[in-house]
Amino acid sequence: MRPVQAPYPTTRLRRPRQNQQIRDLVRQNTLTVKDLIWPVFVRSGEGIEEPLTSMPGVIRRSVDRIVHAAEEAADLGIPAICIFPYTRLEDRTEDCAGAWDPENNTNRAIRAIKAAVPDLLVMTDVALDTYNINGHDGFVEGEEIVNDRTVEALVKMTLAQADAGADIIGPSDMMDGRIGAMRAGLEAAGHQRVMILSYAAKYSSAFYGPFRDAVGASGALKGDKATYQMDPGNSDEALRLVERDLREGADMIMVKPGLPYLDICRRVKDAFGAPTFAYQVSGEYSMIKAAADNGWVDEDKTMMESLMAFKRAGCDGILTYFAPAAARLLQG
Ligand code: PBG
């Protein structure tokens, strides 16, 4: 597309910027509360709301308190919540069996939320890092993060979440072949309606730092995730990954992190036109929070501008820890 315009002064591009009414009228992109998915952290215990120092304003909640968060999300009109479990180092194992335990905190939280707020969509996380003794998303054998044995475990994890009532499965592991295996597993188990939002283009990123604290993986993680997550220097590879996941049965796809990868969001949306999400990750959130807490930027305005950027880049929705705060602003 090439915009056509007369030379100055016939064209004055400031004309349609002269007041709020005309700016509202010509604005191309809008952000609404219906674009938001709220990631929340669940832990064991009861009546617990534990603030996270590396993510100011974010709270780890026991299952009973997650239900309060879900009710809050529904009241604010947020369509979906995404659950991440916190596991203490001493509860982590090499076989990651907690990941597919029907009674793990994630699955208990799914059932509790679905019982209390049935219309709120519940998304999950599928990866082993929140249960793994070594903090990796897959099984570790020697020096290697093994692929195929991990995929089998991820399918078990997926089915346990679907059985608990999850609406949207969120594989964040970046193993090869997992989407096809999960889709086949879900179909075979009668979970035809369960959706998959694939973390298709997920980069090996330092912006995940605060999240790893939040789920208890920081102390556990040995090495980095560069053999399965993407190299930040690549962009064509993102298109290959997204195409692969769509062909394997992903209903929706995600680019992660968000703001540093808006070019990828745009390319992916233009290339495939699939429902496209970005994850504004923990480090992005905490950077804005830290700057705002220091009085260096205006928190509300920076938050809203950062979220609008995703819409401009072609995203249909955003996973963001700002979801309730943004929803409150959007609802006036
Ligand atoms: C791990 C997972 C990560 C995030 C979501 N799922 C971290 C990682 O890959 O190490 C990051 C989310 C965030 O930083 O907010 N499967």
Side-chain angles (χ1 to χ4, degrees), residues 36-52:
L36 305 175
I37 300 176
W38 182 18
V40 294
F41 298 105
V42 65
R43 51 155 293 157
S44 49
E46 232 193 283
I48 299 175
E49 297 195 353
E50 189 179 22
L52 297 172

Side-chain angles (χ1 to χ4, degrees), residues 107-183:
N107 293 326
R108 288 172 50 233
I110 296 169
R111 287 194 294 268
I113 293 170
K114 281 307 205 185
V117 207
D119 292 338
L120 183 72
L121 294 171
V122 177
M123 177 173 166
T124 61
D125 179 56
V126 180
L128 301 183
D129 60 315
T130 46
Y131 299 92
N132 214 341
I133 185 85
N134 48 59
H136 277 289
D137 291 24
F139 291 121
V140 178
E141 293 178 10
E143 297 286 280
E144 198 187 339
I145 289 81
V146 295
N147 194 88
D148 299 6
R149 190 160 77 84
T150 299
V151 170
E152 286 173 28
L154 297 176
V155 172
K156 286 195 276 182
M157 189 174 181
T158 298
L159 293 177
Q161 294 170 351
D163 288 343
D167 300 286
I168 304 172
I169 303 296
S172 68
D173 56 285
M174 289 294 279
M175 297 298 121
D176 285 325
R178 84 251 206 241
I179 302 300
M182 288 172 190
R183 174 56 71 207

Side-chain angles (χ1 to χ4, degrees), residues 39 41 55 84 125-130 135-137 170-174 199 202-212 214-215 217 221 225 228-229 254 256-257 279-285 319 321:
F41 298 105
M55 299 180 74
F84 291 96
D125 179 56
V126 180
L128 301 183
D129 60 315
T130 46
H136 277 289
D137 291 24
S172 68
D173 56 285
M174 289 294 279
Y199 290 59
K202 176 172 177 181
Y203 285 84
S204 180
S205 174
F207 287 97
Y208 307 149
F211 172 95
R212 290 178 188 168
V215 297
L221 185 61
K225 300 191 176 184
Y228 47 106
Q229 300 181 346
M254 188 203 295
K256 180 181 174 198
Y279 197 142
Q280 181 177 50
V281 300
S282 55
E284 301 176 64
Y285 170 86
L319 286 93
Y321 303 98

Side-chain angles (χ1 to χ4, degrees), residues 3 28 49 58 93-94 151 158 163 177 233 237 243 307 317 329-330:
Q28 236 187 303
E49 297 195 353
V58 174
T93 59
E94 210 166 317
V151 170
T158 298
D163 288 343
E237 186 187 3
E243 177 168 5
L307 294 173
L329 271 189
L330 288 165

